[in-house]
């Protein structure tokens, strides 16, 4: 019991890292996110927007998916990562803290990489389907928007969003976890909640195009505001209503479906 109390103390007392180390933690996240956006935009410019995986093999797709998720998700997870780094302020030096923050982010991104495997399978199926039956793209797009909209308005979304918006209770729980790989496991656990919060937003990339940089930027902003803005839950509901409206319009508006239109493939 005494050991658990000591582990939790940094979180209860709000111990802060030295300003220099806090800057290092934030800087690491900013640099990774900026690098990920640079890679994503450059690759999207070469590939354009098209249906399915656009011929990408699984290893290349996962690399690009990881870059996309880092670009889109790290800004919104940065406060949690830095808060976790603060919780170990009395236990590690500056360099060790940066390594442990990297471990947390690695676990977080590992969850999204696993989801990338599911995304690759779904995009492969829809890509082959659209190649055989181009008109099917309209209904696939409508179904994707409807699924995203219904999930945005459903209860599980808000269970996960509540965790992501108020992580302190979970961080107190994490303080009692012991090595090995504690920071990696914390990242995996938080990443699971984040996946539960945001996977439906990624589903709309099926009709909009998995390499659609504009769509990625909008979704990244929505994710950021949902988690950090005071009215984030209300925004999530608004997004759900918008997706349902797009589901109704999709069968009649081809411009909403660049990711399911074979003719759309080409450089951006």
């Amino acid at each position: 019991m005494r050991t658990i109390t000591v582990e939790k103390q940094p979180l209860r007392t709000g111990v802060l890292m030295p300003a220099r180390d806090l800057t290092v933690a934030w800087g690491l996240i900013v640099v990774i996110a900026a690098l990920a956006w640079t890679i994503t935009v450059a690759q999207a410019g070469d590939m354009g927007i098209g249906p399915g995986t656009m011929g990408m093999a699984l290893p290349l797709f996962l690399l690009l998916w990881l870059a996309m998720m880092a670009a889109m998700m790290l800004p919104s997870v940065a406060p949690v990562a830095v808060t976790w780094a603060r919780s170990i302020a009395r236990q590690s030096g500056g360099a060790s803290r940066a390594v442990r923050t990297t471990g947390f982010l690695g676990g977080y991104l590992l969850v999204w990489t696993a989801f990338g495997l599911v995304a690759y399978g779904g995009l492969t199926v829809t890509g082959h389907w659209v190649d055989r039956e181009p008109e099917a793209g309209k209904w696939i797009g409508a179904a994707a928007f409807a699924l995203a909209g219904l999930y945005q308005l459903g209860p599980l979304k808000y269970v996960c969003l509540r965790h992501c918006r108020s992580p302190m209770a979970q961080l107190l729980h994490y303080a009692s976890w012991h090595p090995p790989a504690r920071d990696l496991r914390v990242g995996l656990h938080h990443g699971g909640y984040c996946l539960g919060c945001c996977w439906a937003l990624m589903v709309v990339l099926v009709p909009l195009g998995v390499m659609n940089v504009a769509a990625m930027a909008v979704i990244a902003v929505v994710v950021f505001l949902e988690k950090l803005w005071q009215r984030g839950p209300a925004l999530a509901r608004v997004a759900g209503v918008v997706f349902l409206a797009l589901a109704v319009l999709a069968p009649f508006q081809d411009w909403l479906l660049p990711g399911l239109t074979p003719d759309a493939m080409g450089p951006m």
Side-chain angles (χ1 to χ4, degrees):
M1 180 64 67
R2 184 175 304 170
T3 301
I4 293 176
T5 301
V6 171
E7 289 285 344
K8 287 187 176 182
Q9 186 177 359
L11 284 173
R12 278 205 314 267
T13 58
V15 175
L16 298 178
M17 291 183 286
R20 185 191 64 176
D21 296 332
L22 186 61
T23 300
V24 169
W26 275 99
L28 176 64
I29 294 169
V30 170
V31 168
I32 294 174
L35 179 61
W37 272 113
T38 300
I39 294 171
T40 300
V41 171
Q43 190 63 39
D46 292 336
M47 296 180 63
I49 304 173
T53 63
M54 294 178 288
M56 285 186 284
L58 179 59
L60 175 59
F61 176 87
L62 288 179
L63 286 174
L64 291 177
W65 179 264
L66 182 60
M68 288 167 54
M69 294 303 103
M72 297 169 67
M73 306 302 296
L74 285 186
S76 65
V77 80
V80 178
V82 173
T83 300
W84 177 246
R86 287 177 176 179
S87 76
I88 59 174
R90 287 183 175 178
Q91 305 164 22
S92 306
S96 175
R97 193 175 300 118
V99 171
R100 294 185 66 176
T101 301
T102 302
F104 171 89
L105 295 177
Y108 179 87
L109 291 175
L110 185 60
V111 172
W112 284 100
T113 302
F115 183 66
L117 292 171
V118 178
Y120 184 84
L123 288 168
T124 299
V125 171
T126 57
H128 289 326
W129 196 353
V130 170
D131 286 340
R132 293 195 306 268
E133 299 288 343
E135 288 297 311
K138 298 179 179 180
W139 307 108
I140 296 173
F145 283 127
L147 176 62
L150 291 173
Y151 187 82
Q152 286 287 113
L153 299 173
L156 184 56
K157 164 77 178 188
Y158 295 93
V159 171
C160 297
L161 183 59
R162 186 162 54 247
H163 167 92
C164 293
R165 287 175 58 84
S166 302
M168 286 306 299
Q170 291 297 328
L171 291 176
L172 285 169
H173 173 67
Y174 296 150
S176 66
W177 292 14
H178 299 287
R182 179 174 64 171
D183 303 290
L184 178 66
R185 290 185 287 125
V186 170
L188 288 169
H189 188 269
H190 184 70
Y193 273 101
C194 188
L195 176 63
C197 178
C198 302
W199 70 267
L201 293 171
M202 304 305 163
V203 168
V204 301
L205 291 177
V206 174
L208 296 178
V210 71
M211 297 303 295
N212 188 331
V213 174
M216 281 187 262
V218 171
I219 292 172
V221 171
V222 171
V223 169
F224 184 84
L225 293 177
E226 280 187 358
K227 292 184 178 181
L228 302 179
W229 187 33
Q230 182 180 4
R231 300 185 182 276
L235 176 63
R237 293 183 177 90
V238 170
V241 172
V242 170
F243 291 151
L244 291 177
L246 293 177
V248 174
L249 293 174
F252 313 103
Q253 302 292 331
D254 290 343
W255 63 274
L256 290 173
L257 307 171
L260 293 170
T261 305
D263 293 340
M265 185 176 290
M268 296 180 61

